[in-house]
């Protein structure tokens, strides 16, 4: 696991945004931290929380272990937000219920740390990471390790968590660029540029 | 809501057992506290936690509110255990997921308070309260208020929570009686009573 980096990048005027991605699960919960610096995404750390063990037979103890693990990662790396996959389907009610329980304690850990939660569908995450909404789990993992330049093999729970974090930072950057474009367009129009001239200029940038 | 009672009953040698029942829900979570004193069950308190409001738009904030509510009830009434319904079915994945999230924070509140969790199926709870596993929600509610001598009408979330608590105390008492009978039978048999004589005596009690 990478050492925590100091926050903020003196070379960039924009504040660094650090996001923790979570892939909750009743057996294994993955987490991963990404920081946005200038135009690049930097891998900060990742790991898994294996909640099932002989000395944790009770569901409540397992959930408590997941909560502690996420809380510890948030305390160590101090992310500005938490990103995770929005779930629509499940194999059956039992698996949805167990996933919901693990998800509930992850959301609670975010609320207790006072950081906002961002949710994205599996397809939004795949588009952000691989560029294709129907990408396989394996393609996502390869793209995550390649994007971040992380040579080591990692559990899919951790790479899925990193993918959720990448998705939030990508979309946020896109939204901020789109916002800048809108502002610029409005400002040129106020200066009585014609719509066609604005489009030509903005389109060229 | 009834005031918290002092724990323990000097007239009884057996320690009073106080249980919090929880009926978790993403919109409304019910809770209810019951104490077992001698041969009777005593209503201690009940309430509901309505987690949806205009100033809590985010799922994480709603879960945090449910957690706070359960934690506050546990702190005020200091139960020895938490009882709730074991879920097998759900309308769909979304409702199972949301129920799971609320359930997860309830289980976490129990783990953080260091009290054990007891789970019973809907049918086990209905048998304990109404004596019939297919009882309707309305029958359960009427029986709960009548059993506990609580005149007031209450939200079904609260009566379902009280029903889960009643179920645990009922079953615990049954198990302890069954245990006593087994011990007594063994002791008489050690004193060379015939099986038939033991059966006649134990059967009469």
């Amino acid at each position: 696991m990478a050492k925590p980096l100091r926050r903020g990048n003196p070379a960039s005027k924009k504040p660094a945004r650090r996001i923790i991605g979570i892939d909750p699960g009743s057996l294994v919960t993955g987490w991963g931290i990404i920081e946005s610096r200038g135009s690049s995404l930097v891998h900060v750390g990742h790991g898994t929380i294996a909640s099932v063990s002989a000395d944790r037979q009770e569901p409540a103890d397992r959930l408590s272990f997941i909560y502690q693990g996420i809380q510890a990662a948030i305390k160590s790396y101090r992310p500005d937000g938490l990103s995770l996959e929005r779930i629509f389907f499940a194999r059956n009610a039992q698996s949805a219920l167990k996933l919901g329980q693990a998800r509930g304690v992850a959301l609670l850990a975010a609320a207790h740390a006072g950081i906002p939660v961002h949710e994205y569908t599996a397809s939004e995450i795949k588009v952000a990471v691989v560029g294709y909404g129907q990408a396989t789990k394996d393609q996502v993992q390869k793209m995550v390790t390649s994007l971040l330049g992380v040579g080591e093999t990692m559990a899919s729970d951790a790479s899925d968590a990193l993918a959720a974090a990448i998705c939030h930072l990508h979309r946020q950057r896109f939204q901020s660029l789109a916002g800048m474009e809108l502002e610029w367009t409005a400002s040129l129009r106020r200066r009585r540029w014609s719509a066609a001239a604005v489009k030509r200029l903005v389109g060229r940038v």
Side-chain angles (χ1 to χ4, degrees), chain A:
Chain A
M1 195 190 303
K3 278 187 197 161
L5 298 166
R6 262 177 307 151
R7 301 180 73 189
N9 180 354
S12 156
K13 279 185 183 170
K14 282 183 207 158
R17 289 273 300 172
R18 193 177 270 203
I19 294 291
I20 182 168
I22 298 283
D23 179 29
S26 57
L27 306 179
V28 179
T29 291
W31 62 271
I33 316 252
I34 309 265
E35 195 168 286
S36 164
R37 290 202 218 157
S39 63
S40 57
L41 295 182
V42 180
H43 169 263
V44 178
H46 70 264
T48 55
I49 305 159
S51 44
V52 174
S53 85
D55 59 332
R56 277 190 302 277
Q57 299 286 349
E58 296 300 322
D61 294 335
R62 291 177 182 170
L63 292 169
S64 171
F65 190 72
I66 296 171
Y67 176 85
Q68 274 172 36
I70 297 173
Q71 198 186 38
I74 292 177
K75 273 197 180 167
S76 305
Y77 294 99
R78 304 201 165 278
D80 308 304
L82 182 148
S83 179
L84 79 176
E85 189 184 321
R86 187 187 296 280
I87 306 290
F88 287 108
F89 305 105
R91 256 177 304 143
N92 54 52
Q94 270 309 291
S95 66
L97 198 85
K98 283 185 182 169
L99 177 57
Q101 291 181 175
R103 227 173 170 274
V105 304
L107 296 177
L108 191 67
H112 284 174
I115 57 175
V117 172
H118 312 284
E119 295 185 76
Y120 299 100
T121 65
S123 159
E124 286 172 326
I125 294 174
K126 286 171 177 176
V127 166
V129 175
V130 187
Y132 170 57
Q134 306 297 314
T136 63
K137 259 184 135 24
D138 198 45
Q139 285 173 318
V140 170
Q141 187 168 27
K142 276 185 185 149
M143 204 63 185
V144 164
T145 50
S146 144
L147 268 174
L148 301 174
V150 187
E152 58 188 307
T153 52
M154 61 173 79
S156 67
D157 311 278
S159 59
D160 283 351
L162 287 167
I166 291 171
C167 177
H168 175 70
L169 291 169
H170 260 205
R171 289 179 71 104
Q172 184 183 254
R173 182 177 299 164
F174 177 78
Q175 277 162 8
S176 105
L177 284 178
M180 278 165 62
E181 190 178 305
L182 276 178
E183 252 175 53
W184 197 17
T185 305
S187 137
L188 291 173
R189 289 289 288 153
R190 271 198 303 275
R191 283 165 202 174
R192 301 188 182 270
W193 279 50
S194 76
V198 168
K199 204 175 166 188
R200 271 201 304 279
L201 182 73
V202 174
R204 220 188 295 153
V205 180

